[in-house]
Amino acid sequence: MKRVRYAVEDFLRLEDLEVAGKTVLLRVDINSRVDDGNLRMTEKIERHARTMQELSERGAKTVVLSHQGRPGDARFMPLEQHAALLNEFLRVNYVDDIIGPAARNAIRAMCEGEVLLLDNVRMLAEETLNRSAEEHARSIFVRRLAPLCDLYINDAFEASHRSHASLVGFPYVLPAGIGLVTEEELRSLAKLAEVERDVVYVLGGGKLGDVLHFIKRVIASKSCIILTAGRVANAFLEAKEGIRCGIEPEYVEIASEILKISGDKVKIPKDVAIERDGEREEIAVSELKERSGGEHAVGAAASSVSAVSTASSALSSSSSSASSASLRIYDIGSETCDEYISLLSAADAIFVKGPAGVYENEAFAEGTLRIFNAVARSNAFTVLGGGDTTTALKSLGISERAFSYVSLAGGALLKFLLGDELPALEVLRKSRRMN
C-alpha cells in the first residue's frame, strides 16, 4: 500500500490568507472530557482558542464549528459550556443553533474581530453520514452556511480521519486552509513519521481497535519496539497467557495474530499491580497464570475504559477478597517499568499514546508516572498523543515542555503515522490546487 504523506506546504496557512473583514468558518475539535455533566477544561480548548484569537486580532468574523461526543453517549451535549471555557481566553459569543434562522442571523450581524460559536454539529444527522466531499457539499448543512462565509479553515486535525460534512463539505465549495493547531500537528508529526529505525511506541489507554490495527501494520514496516500497557496489554495477556481480562474476542484474536508475526517486537507486562485490602500489590503475570492454570479471570477494572481514564467506577467495584477471581489489574508492575525504561533509553524516537494504568488513583499512578518521566528525560525525539495522555500529564503535574511535541490527536495521529489517507486533509489539498 502506497503511503500518503502530508506536509504543511501542501496547504494554505493562516499567514497566507487575507482575513480582515472576511467571514471565516473555522472548524475546531474542542470535544472534551465530561464528568457528571460538567465539561472539563482541556488542552484542546486552550490551543484552539489561540487560533480564534489570531483570527480575531486580524479582524476576521470567525464562525466556529465543533462537535462534542456522539448521539446516545454520556458526552453528547450542547456547546454552551465550551463557550464559557473559551471565554477564559477571549470573548466568544454562543448561539444554540447551527443552520436555523438564529444562527444565520447571528452570522450576518457579526462585526470584525467577533467570534461566534455555533452548537454541536453532531446534532445534525447529515454531519456524520458516510459520504464523499462532493456529496456532503450538497447537504442542507453546507448549503445553508457556506453562502454566508468567505473562507474555511480546518483546525481540527484530531478529526481529519473522518469524512464528515463539517470537515469535507465546506472546503469543497469555499477557499480553504489550515489553522495554527493543524499546522503545528503536521510539522511535528511529519518528523516522527520520517524516523525509520529505533522507534519505541508506548501504547496504553483504553481504546483498542485503532491501536491494535496500528501495531499490526507498523511492526511490518519499521524497525521498532512496542511497549504495551492498559487495555492494550490486557489484550495481549489474554492472547498469550490465557489470563481472561474481559477483552472482546475480536481484539484477542487480533492480538494473537500480531504475536504470531511480531517476533520480539511486542513487549507485554511481566508483572502487574492489583488492589488488595485497599492497597497496591504487585504480582507476577506467571503467578496469575499459575493460580488458575492459565484461565485466570481478571475483573472489570482491567476491561473497562474507566480503568485507564476514570478510576472511580472501577475502584468502587473492586473487591478486597483474596480470591484470585476477584483481582483487577490497575497498573503495570515495577519489573515491567524497569524493562520498559531500559528499552526507552536506547530509542531514537518515542511515541506514547495512553496512560499505563489508573493514574487518577495515587496508588496506581506509578507506572504512568515512571514511563512519562523516562520519556521526558530521553534525548530522543518524543511525541505524546491522545486525549487521555494529555489529561494524565496535567493530572500528574508533568510539563508538556519536557517533550518534543504533545499532540491533541488520537485516531487521526495513528493513521497519519501509517501513511493512510485523511479525508479532511485530502479535500484541503485539492482546494488549494483549485484556488
Side-chain angles (χ1 to χ4, degrees), residues 12 36 59 61 81 106 112-113 179 212 223 238 275-276 297 302 314 346 373 391 404 416:
L12 290 172
D36 298 323
K61 293 177 279 188
Q81 292 187 49
E112 292 184 11
L212 290 175
S223 170
E238 189 157 340
E275 181 197 23
R276 195 187 297 276
N373 280 332
T391 301
S404 303
F416 180 92

Side-chain angles (χ1 to χ4, degrees), residues 30-57:
I30 48 176
N31 179 42
S32 300
R33 182 168 169 175
V34 178
D35 291 332
D36 298 323
N38 297 311
L39 187 76
R40 286 184 56 170
M41 176 65 79
T42 63
E43 183 71 15
K44 279 188 173 185
I45 292 173
E46 184 173 350
R47 284 203 216 172
H48 283 295
R50 297 173 196 162
T51 300
M52 298 177 206
Q53 184 71 52
E54 169 80 8
L55 287 165
S56 177
E57 290 176 354

Side-chain angles (χ1 to χ4, degrees), residues 49-128:
R50 297 173 196 162
T51 300
M52 298 177 206
Q53 184 71 52
E54 169 80 8
L55 287 165
S56 177
E57 290 176 354
R58 290 176 56 187
K61 293 177 279 188
T62 307
V63 181
V64 183
L65 300 176
S66 186
H67 69 279
Q68 172 64 46
R70 53 174 54 90
D73 72 31
R75 296 171 62 237
F76 185 65
M77 62 192 297
L79 301 190
E80 187 174 7
Q81 292 187 49
H82 300 70
L85 292 179
L86 284 167
N87 269 282
E88 295 186 20
F89 305 100
L90 76 161
R91 180 175 175 79
V92 175
N93 298 316
Y94 168 73
V95 59
D96 57 350
D97 189 20
I98 308 166
I99 60 173
R104 299 201 308 275
N105 290 336
I107 293 171
R108 292 188 185 102
M110 291 179 73
C111 298
E112 292 184 11
E114 287 189 347
V115 179
L116 174 67
L117 175 65
L118 304 185
D119 215 342
N120 188 345
V121 294
R122 288 189 178 171
M123 291 181 175
L124 299 175
E126 287 184 310
E127 165 66 5
T128 56

Side-chain angles (χ1 to χ4, degrees), residues 340-341 344 350 369-379 403:
Y340 285 7
I341 290 169
L344 288 167
I350 299 170
L369 188 61
R370 288 188 63 193
I371 294 299
F372 283 10
N373 280 332
V375 176
R377 292 191 302 268
S378 172
N379 293 321
F403 309 95

